[in-house]
Amino acid sequence: MAANLIDSLLELKVQVPSLPEPADEKELDALRVKYLGKKGIVSLLSQGMPSVPKEQKPEAGKLLQEVRTGIEQMLERARVKIRREKIQREIEQEFFDISLPGANPGFGARHPISAVMEEIVDIFTGMGFQVEEGPEAESDYYNFEGLNFPPEHPARDMQDTFHLTEIEMLLRTHTSPVQVRAMEKYGPPLSVIAPGKVYRCDADITHSPMFHQIEGFTIDKKVTMGDLKGTLQTFIRRLYGADTKIRLRPSFFPFVEPGAEMDVSCVICGGKGCRVCKHTGWLEILGAGMIHPNVMKSSNIDPEVWSGFAFGMGIERVAMLKYGVDDIRLFFENDMRFLRQF
Amino acid sequence: MKISYIWLGEWVEHKLSPEEMAAGLTSLGLETSIAEDRRGAYANVVVGKVLTVGPHPNADSIRLTTVNAGGETLSIVCGAPNVAAGQTVAVALVGASLPNGMKIEERKIRGEASFGMICSETELGISSDSSGIMVLDSSLVAGTKLSACMELEDVIFEVDLTPNRGDCLGVLGVAREVAAVSGGKLKMPSVAPAQEGINGLSIKIENVKGCPRYTAREIFGVKITPSPFKIRRRLAACGVRPINNVVDATNYVMLETGQPLHAFDRRDIAGGIITVRNAAQGESFTTLDGKTHALEDFNLLIADASRGVALAGVMGGQNSEIKDDTADIILEAAYFDPVCVRRTAKRLGVSTESSYRFERGVDAEGLPLASFLAARMMAQFAGGIVGGYLDVYPQKIEHPPIALRARRTNDMLGLELSDREMAGYLGKLGIECESGSAGLFAVKTPSHRHDIKSEIDLVEEISRLHGLANVPPTAPKLAQHASLENGKYAKRRALNNLFAAAGFYEAVNFSFINPAWRRALGMEDKKPAKMENRINAELSELRTSLLPGLLQTASFNLRQGEERVTVYETGTTFRMRSGELHEEFHTAGVMTCGEEEILGVKLPRDFHRLKGVLSNVIKATTGVSPEFVLPAQGAEHKFLYDHRQAEIMVGGLCIGLMGQIHPLALEASDVDTDMVCFEFSADALLGLPTRGLRVTPIPRLPGIKRDLALIVDERVEAGALVKTILETDPVRIRHCALFDLYQGVQVPEGKKSLAFRLFFLDTEKNLTDGAGDEIMAEVLARVKEKHSAVIRG
Ligand SMILES: [Zn+2]
């Protein structure tokens, strides 16, 4: 009998791996009852334990446990498989419409001019410039005289000015007054980027009476024209990509000398020539130069000790190129059909 | 400024193509492009002889001609009134394409075949004269290419000159730059000595500052006719209308040397004297263009013994202009003070070729050359005899030497140029350098470069000759300034991003508005600053608020057919206060009312939606939840509904307002949809002291949640109930939030039901249900006592 129990257990142990796999939960339950139920095969076999001779008891007990565990593991594996297949079947058969709109009240958007302005400010602050702002209504001194535009100088014609009527003030024609104000306020050394609105009495598809500029300048000991060029090159590469080229041409702005205009290789055609760049391969982007000694002197900075460079650019021009906008007025009409595109 | 390639070639040696010349000038800072290219433009245009002219059978105004154009005789239909047999003319043969875009083909005109065209000057792109065909010198041989007989195949440059380069407002000045590019020599004409003095004429300069030098020359016996072809073509190509041989000579020499000249009819200079004087206040003067001006005492006049004859440097007078029968001439070449000319031109609202050049400065030493060249032309083309010359130059305009340091130049440019290189560059511009000690020059600038006044101007000249392309780029170390902070800009940007994330679109409106937009909202509390607007006179004041502009944005979009408008703006506002202008950044927004529906879930667009957005944005910006308080009685904003408005309070400070716009204000703003709006001072909000945020420990004990539904009179404010509930047990009642509002059949008329979710917590011990019941009982007693609230059964 004892030998029989051990034999039966051994026989069962061999059978377990090849038991029929249950197809569903019902078969699974039937199998569990058949082997592990109160009157199941394992239970019946264990009733023979007391009659096993003492010296064989450990072997029989161990074997019984192995068989029970083996069956339990087999059943658990089957259970997991059945459940997984059942869920998968349900999921596979489901209809779900992902094309329904997202249930979110929806974002608005920043204005494209703000977006471009902030992108440019980020590049310059990343290089070490600090943001400073100034008033939009200015005195003649900060807008012109302090920037080396003498009264009655034809250079003033470059910037057709809006004047206020009840007080001796004007709407700044450029962000350059921030140069003078920052120099007065902080003194050198100094590296400033000044974004903001500016105003000129001019209106057509590329000129708006109000537009935006960014002015940048640095003053330190031994700042050179090469530093200006290096700074602008880094900026342009970060804005338009590493293979964008720059070209400086001598030009004139009263508050810088030597003065220059900067062209970039056309961002539309890559320099091959197209309608946008008037087939020159270059786009004029920015004015720059070494800060004029007269500007430093009017802010009580000694130009023999300090030198610096300054640059300024219109944001609308950059945004027009970036987004393919060919009429500047679109930026200020605030048509929702335009604003929603950003 | 337009300038001719051929004309430039007469003044400087070079081997540059027009393209090379444009590129070279551009690299020197004279932005030059090719405006018109006439090379090869006259390929099929030849000299022809008109053989016969006969009537056209089907039209009176056009004629049938036969023309010998070198080959077989051509039949050409011609509409010009002046065509006549025996004329030598310009014939565009079949196949020609003319500068004005016209292509010549064999065609029928009113039934008659025409093999070519007899051309006018307009059709050849020479001038705007289209009154008739161009009649050529009869000595020209039929069949010869027209471009071989006359100066035609030119290239016209457009030079975009900066205001500092007055010296380049003429062929001579640009030729100097070309010389610097090409290394070639200038071809300067020599000035023949003049006969000193003019019989019966003297010059008196009363205002030497306004006119440091004045020269006059007499020319006798001119005969007024049109100028020869070459002169007229060059003038027209440079945008100057040909008039007659005398006036053309003055304009031609001005275009050539940059020196404006003026020719008076000698008969009109009375009393044998020319006086350069200031006008009397109110003195009347009629300029060449027929306009009469009341002058001011700062206007400089050229006068004879009795009256003004020219407005110095701006325009001649009608009373002394060149007439068809003018025979004797006084030719003026003078230097007028730039500021003086500019003030006069601005005051009178005129800008002439002359005033433009004087404002930018002419070469005071160049007067004799200009006077000589113009007189020579009048002799050559008008048959005049050159007489005497008067030159009054009381105080020579000096150009003291400028010290130039080589070290400073290199430091500024980031270069290591030798002394020799620097002197070489300046030499190319005709600027002489005397080397003192090593690295120090005494630089003598020529009189035409009056824009060079100091060392930095010389540094610039060296840099542009060296070429900015040859300056190696370097990376500066950028100095930081401790007290400079990016804070406000960065904070404003974060605020803007929050509004965009809350569903608002950022608008950018002009800072100047139509006062009517502001008045439509009854905004009279802040005094606006007024401005002069030459583009749109209606937009005449600076905005004190962003809302008038935003309502215009809404109105515009609604008219475009938009159903919902949700826009905001952050920008500067301006107000006058005790005579001074103050600027402040505001943020404002407008939103059309109604509902948004997302898959059956309705989201209101109303006062409370906006209030929610503002609460979230302000909390996210400052860490403090704002409060919304009805303005004190009498302080309500008239453009908002009386009871649908609130002041936005942050940390006890009123930073702005919100509310629903009054129907009448909407109507006045041309908006036909209900709108809610807000506006606050971004400067005030972002300038609030940032209190260090302290974190409340997360409770370790669970606490109790209870819901409470109350029925109250419909005029009881929910906010007041919340306040009362929280005050009942400030330590243990941690939260009280309204989650439902009901008014309808299930509650009595005039009442409403409000449901709150309460959260109780005791940090010391676990709250039992019993303790929760006790708190609820207290709450109920309080709300009953204060608000007559009853629990909803
Ligand atoms: Zn291009």
Side-chain angles (χ1 to χ4, degrees):
Chain A
M1 179 66 199
N4 263 355
L5 179 61
I6 287 173
D7 286 349
S8 305
L9 284 169
L10 279 171
E11 195 181 327
L12 191 54
K13 190 182 169 186
V14 173
Q15 279 172 12
V16 168
S18 53
L19 283 177
E21 207 173 273
D24 52 25
E25 277 165 9
K26 213 171 132 192
E27 285 183 30
L28 180 69
D29 281 345
L31 216 56
R32 188 190 312 278
V33 172
K34 183 177 174 190
Y35 286 94
L36 299 179
K38 274 186 186 145
K39 290 177 182 164
I41 293 170
V42 175
S43 192
L44 287 174
L45 285 175
S46 66
Q47 284 167 18
M49 272 307 274
S51 49
V52 176
K54 199 180 170 189
E55 67 278 11
Q56 288 182 358
K57 268 195 180 161
E59 191 196 347
K62 186 169 166 252
L63 210 50
L64 184 68
Q65 197 49 47
E66 275 176 19
V67 167
R68 191 192 298 276
T69 308
I71 293 170
E72 277 171 352
Q73 283 175 350
M74 183 276 283
L75 290 174
E76 178 60 14
R77 274 197 300 276
R79 190 192 64 78
V80 168
K81 189 173 172 225
I82 289 164
R83 173 153 174 75
R84 187 162 50 216
E85 281 170 355
K86 185 177 170 228
I87 289 172
Q88 194 52 40
R89 244 187 336 271
E90 284 167 7
I91 287 173
E92 274 171 10
Q93 284 162 9
E94 164 198 63
F95 172 76
F96 186 82
D97 190 353
I98 60 157
S99 75
L100 290 175
N104 184 315
F107 280 22
R110 296 299 308 278
H111 192 281
I113 295 297
S114 305
V116 170
M117 183 115 108
E118 287 170 9
E119 183 182 353
I120 294 175
V121 166
D122 282 347
I123 294 173
F124 283 115
T125 51
M127 289 164 75
F129 288 88
Q130 293 171 288
V131 178
E132 176 74 356
E133 295 172 286
E136 290 170 30
E138 270 291 8
S139 62
D140 185 88
Y141 176 78
Y142 284 112
N143 197 76
F144 287 125
E145 251 195 287
L147 287 163
N148 198 33
F149 287 79
E152 302 299 341
H153 194 277
R156 290 184 174 222
D157 292 348
M158 294 162 91
Q159 305 181 357
D160 206 350
T161 311
F162 287 115
H163 290 271
L164 303 192
T165 51
E166 288 155 344
I167 37 171
E168 284 272 315
M169 289 187 95
L170 47 84
L171 294 181
R172 65 177 178 189
T173 56
H174 46 184
T175 38
S176 311
V178 181
Q179 267 188 49
V180 184
R181 287 182 175 274
M183 283 183 211
E184 278 180 2
K185 195 165 155 194
Y186 304 107
L190 194 61
S191 310
V192 164
I193 190 89
K197 289 191 169 83
V198 299
Y199 304 84
R200 287 184 201 174
C201 199
D202 206 351
D204 59 36
I205 65 162
T206 55
H207 296 90
S208 170
M210 182 187 89
F211 59 105
H212 297 76
Q213 275 193 343
I214 285 186
E215 183 87 4
F217 69 95
T218 187
I219 301 184
D220 207 333
K221 288 175 180 160
K222 302 225 166 173
V223 176
T224 70
M225 192 89 187
D227 291 340
L228 169 63
K229 201 169 164 183
T231 302
L232 294 178
Q233 187 169 296
T234 304
F235 160 65
I236 287 300
R237 285 177 179 175
R238 291 195 187 158
L239 184 68
Y240 288 125
D243 48 1
T244 316
K245 291 182 191 65
I246 65 164
R247 174 176 86 171
L248 290 181
R249 285 179 285 107
S251 191
F252 170 75
F253 306 96
F255 42 102
V256 288
E257 187 159 17
E261 271 178 342
M262 187 183 75
D263 302 329
V264 299
S265 52
C266 180
V267 295
I268 309 290
C269 65
K272 288 195 268 308
C274 69
R275 193 180 58 83
V276 175
C277 60
K278 295 185 187 123
H279 304 282
T280 61
W282 295 97
L283 296 167
E284 191 181 315
I285 286 285
L286 162 161
M290 302 302 291
I291 296 175
H292 199 286
N294 291 354
V295 175
M296 292 205 201
K297 278 184 221 156
S298 44
S299 305
N300 288 319
I301 294 173
D302 184 355
E304 290 292 319
V305 178
W306 303 95
S307 62
F309 63 70
F311 55 85
M313 79 193 89
I315 302 305
E316 277 74 3
R317 169 123 171 105
V318 178
M320 286 171 88
L321 290 169
K322 183 181 168 101
Y323 298 116
V325 172
D326 51 17
D327 186 341
I328 197 169
R329 288 170 289 209
L330 269 178
F331 290 125
F332 306 105
E333 259 174 10
N334 300 307
D335 190 317
M336 293 298 288
R337 292 167 295 183
F338 176 72
L339 297 179
R340 267 197 295 264
Q341 294 182 40
F342 297 95
Chain B
M1 182 185 65
K2 291 221 164 64
I3 197 158
S4 148
Y5 173 75
I6 293 179
W7 202 347
L8 275 168
E10 285 179 2
W11 283 81
V12 59
E13 291 171 355
H14 73 84
K15 291 198 175 84
L16 304 170
S17 69
E19 286 79 8
E20 288 164 343
M21 194 181 279
L25 290 172
T26 300
S27 74
L28 280 187
L30 274 66
E31 207 176 332
T32 304
S33 56
I34 292 177
E36 276 173 53
D37 188 349
R38 292 288 164 77
R39 286 172 291 180
Y42 300 92
N44 283 305
V45 184
V46 299
V47 175
K49 303 279 180 182
V50 182
L51 302 174
T52 62
V53 176
H56 188 290
N58 303 322
D60 292 341
S61 62
I62 45 184
R63 253 80 61 86
L64 302 183
T65 70
T66 55
V67 178
N68 168 18
E72 52 186 285
T73 302
L74 301 174
S75 295
I76 296 177
V77 178
C78 180
N82 65 331
V83 65
Q87 280 171 337
T88 303
V89 295
V91 180
L93 302 173
V94 170
S97 52
L98 298 179
N100 70 348
M102 192 184 276
K103 284 193 166 45
I104 306 302
E105 287 156 5
E106 178 188 331
R107 61 186 190 123
K108 283 199 164 157
I109 299 170
R110 299 269 184 119
E112 295 293 326
S114 184
F115 301 86
M117 184 172 76
I118 305 177
C119 303
S120 70
E121 291 194 359
T122 310
E123 284 148 353
L124 292 172
I126 294 166
S127 76
S128 57
D129 181 2
S130 56
S131 61
I133 54 163
M134 183 176 159
V135 180
L136 307 176
D137 183 357
S138 58
S139 65
L140 298 178
V141 179
T144 319
K145 282 188 152 215
L146 191 67
S147 58
C149 315
M150 50 213 310
E151 185 181 290
L152 283 173
E153 298 212 337
D154 199 357
V155 171
I156 304 300
F157 297 119
E158 178 67 50
V159 185
D160 196 0
L161 278 178
T162 53
N164 58 325
R165 294 305 302 272
D167 65 298
C168 287
L169 286 165
V171 174
L172 170 58
V174 177
R176 288 192 180 105
E177 298 284 309
V178 173
V181 175
S182 69
K185 274 208 181 72
L186 268 188
K187 303 187 214 169
M188 285 295 281
S190 50
V191 179
Q195 170 198 328
E196 292 279 335
I198 298 177
N199 246 343
L201 186 77
S202 61
I203 292 169
K204 188 174 153 209
I205 301 177
E206 285 186 3
N207 180 346
V208 175
K209 188 172 179 297
C211 176
R213 188 176 194 183
Y214 193 98
T215 74
R217 190 186 297 265
E218 57 179 347
I219 297 111
F220 305 104
V222 298
K223 191 167 174 305
I224 304 297
T225 63
S227 293
F229 173 80
K230 179 181 127 177
I231 305 301
R232 285 188 291 116
R233 186 200 72 85
R234 288 191 180 182
L235 289 176
C238 296
V240 174
R241 191 169 56 93
I243 293 170
N244 59 48
N245 48 2
V246 168
V247 174
D248 289 354
T250 60
N251 284 332
Y252 186 90
V253 174
M254 173 185 73
L255 293 176
E256 197 161 49
T257 62
Q259 170 63 46
L261 300 167
H262 187 67
F264 296 102
D265 187 324
R266 171 102 205 225
R267 291 175 294 181
D268 298 322
I269 307 292
I273 187 163
I274 287 176
T275 308
V276 185
R277 63 164 170 88
N278 285 36
Q281 188 70 27
E283 185 170 350
S284 174
F285 184 73
T286 305
T287 42
L288 271 175
D289 56 5
K291 290 192 181 123
T292 301
H293 306 273
L295 302 180
E296 295 191 57
D297 58 6
F298 61 81
N299 299 141
L300 199 63
L301 265 182
I302 311 302
D304 66 8
S306 58
R307 57 183 187 162
V309 290
L311 208 46
V314 179
M315 205 185 279
Q318 205 174 42
N319 56 19
S320 55
E321 69 179 324
I322 302 301
K323 293 163 278 287
D324 287 348
D325 64 349
T326 298
D328 300 338
I329 281 164
I330 296 293
L331 174 68
E332 165 199 290
Y335 180 96
F336 297 115
D337 175 55
V339 171
C340 176
V341 171
R342 184 177 162 85
R343 288 186 72 198
T344 298
K346 280 239 145 179
R347 163 70 181 72
L348 302 181
V350 293
S351 176
T352 60
E353 294 277 352
S354 166
S355 68
Y356 190 82
R357 285 173 172 78
F358 280 119
E359 283 179 33
R360 281 154 183 76
V362 299
D363 179 5
E365 309 309 318
L367 306 188
L369 171 68
S371 176
F372 166 77
L373 291 175
R376 192 170 70 177
M377 279 178 77
M378 290 181 200
Q380 199 178 344
F381 303 125
I385 298 158
V386 180
Y389 182 58
L390 272 171
D391 184 349
V392 183
Y393 194 2
Q395 198 172 358
K396 192 170 155 53
I397 297 173
E398 298 288 350
H399 300 276
I402 300 166
L404 172 69
R405 292 163 292 176
R407 182 70 262 145
R408 171 123 174 115
T409 304
N410 279 327
D411 281 353
M412 197 59 113
L413 300 177
L415 294 172
E416 284 302 334
L417 299 175
S418 66
D419 289 10
R420 225 181 118 98
E421 283 172 298
M422 289 187 196
Y425 287 142
L426 294 174
K428 282 188 172 189
L429 295 166
I431 301 174
E432 293 165 34
C433 292
E434 252 177 61
S435 192
S437 53
L440 184 69
F441 300 104
V443 178
K444 218 170 141 12
T445 57
S447 60
H448 60 270
R449 289 307 303 274
H450 42 78
D451 61 310
I452 301 178
K453 297 190 191 81
S454 59
E455 185 181 36
I456 193 70
D457 300 322
L458 293 167
V459 173
E460 177 167 68
E461 295 306 303
I462 291 167
S463 77
R464 69 189 186 97
L465 266 294
H466 180 70
L468 295 181
N470 302 318
V471 174
T474 46
K477 68 162 180 43
L478 291 169
Q480 303 290 302
H481 202 283
S483 55
L484 225 171
E485 45 121 7
N486 299 343
K488 276 216 161 166
Y489 180 81
K491 281 185 190 168
R492 228 169 31 238
R493 171 176 178 173
L495 178 72
N496 280 322
N497 286 341
L498 287 169
F499 276 107
F504 281 77
Y505 288 88
E506 186 181 16
V508 177
N509 279 304
F510 287 156
S511 303
F512 30 83
I513 62 165
N514 186 333
W517 303 347
R518 172 178 55 79
R519 289 197 205 104
L521 302 183
M523 292 179 168
E524 301 290 352
D525 55 325
K526 292 175 185 165
K527 187 177 179 323
K530 302 233 176 303
M531 65 182 276
E532 187 193 20
N533 190 339
R534 275 164 287 144
I535 291 172
N536 184 345
E538 286 190 339
L539 307 184
S540 63
E541 72 175 38
L542 294 178
R543 58 187 181 182
T544 55
S545 157
L546 306 182
L547 286 174
L550 284 170
L551 274 175
Q552 291 304 309
T553 301
S555 169
F556 168 79
N557 277 293
L558 291 167
R559 274 183 277 122
Q560 302 295 313
E562 282 295 323
E563 285 171 15
R564 286 201 285 260
V565 179
T566 318
V567 288
Y568 82 103
E569 179 170 8
T570 295
T572 314
T573 59
F574 307 78
R575 69 184 294 193
M576 294 295 298
R577 205 157 43 191
S578 7
E580 279 187 30
L581 187 68
H582 292 265
E583 291 185 22
E584 190 173 44
F585 272 106
H586 279 199
T587 300
V590 297
M591 175 166 88
T592 48
C593 293
E595 256 175 1
E596 277 163 45
E597 195 169 340
I598 303 168
L599 299 178
V601 179
K602 285 186 175 149
L603 214 61
R605 295 169 57 86
D606 61 6
F607 183 99
H608 293 100
R609 168 82 177 278
L610 183 60
K611 181 183 167 184
V613 168
L614 290 171
S615 297
N616 290 343
V617 167
I618 292 173
K619 169 85 193 316
T621 305
T622 61
V624 179
S625 289
E627 286 178 73
F628 296 85
V629 182
L630 197 67
Q633 203 144 27
E636 297 95 347
H637 300 279
K638 291 193 188 69
F639 71 99
L640 301 173
Y641 273 77
D642 293 21
H643 302 298
R644 300 185 190 185
Q645 58 175 289
E647 282 174 345
I648 307 170
M649 310 288 296
V650 184
L653 182 76
C654 173
I655 61 158
L657 58 90
M658 69 157 296
Q660 185 167 346
I661 299 174
H662 196 286
L664 295 176
L666 285 179
E667 219 171 278
S669 305
D670 198 14
V671 174
D672 58 4
T673 308
D674 288 337
M675 304 211 76
V676 288
C677 70
F678 71 91
E679 177 161 25
F680 60 79
S681 163
D683 284 342
L685 179 75
L686 303 174
L688 287 172
T690 44
R691 278 181 291 269
L693 182 76
R694 309 294 300 173
V695 167
T696 312
I698 295 165
R700 257 168 258 169
L701 299 169
I704 301 176
K705 286 190 185 105
R706 290 288 171 93
D707 286 354
L708 173 64
L710 296 173
I711 292 178
V712 290
D713 190 272
E714 65 184 1
R715 292 198 160 232
V716 172
E717 280 189 2
L721 279 166
V722 170
K723 197 161 170 255
T724 303
I725 292 168
L726 288 171
E727 279 168 4
T728 307
D729 189 341
V731 177
R732 290 190 296 176
I733 306 179
R734 290 300 176 101
H735 298 297
C736 169
L738 180 74
F739 70 90
D740 192 33
L741 164 66
Y742 176 77
Q743 250 176 313
V745 289
Q746 292 175 35
V747 295
E749 180 96 8
K751 301 273 178 187
K752 64 183 171 188
S753 156
L754 297 167
F756 301 92
R757 174 148 300 162
L758 280 60
F759 177 64
F760 309 144
L761 179 76
D762 190 327
T763 48
E764 302 301 319
K765 60 174 195 284
N766 248 323
L767 279 178
T768 60
D769 271 356
D773 293 344
E774 277 168 30
I775 298 172
M776 284 296 275
E778 275 176 60
V779 166
L780 267 173
R782 282 290 284 265
V783 295
K784 189 171 180 184
E785 180 197 331
K786 286 196 89 166
H787 307 288
S788 311
V790 295
I791 197 156
R792 187 175 174 190

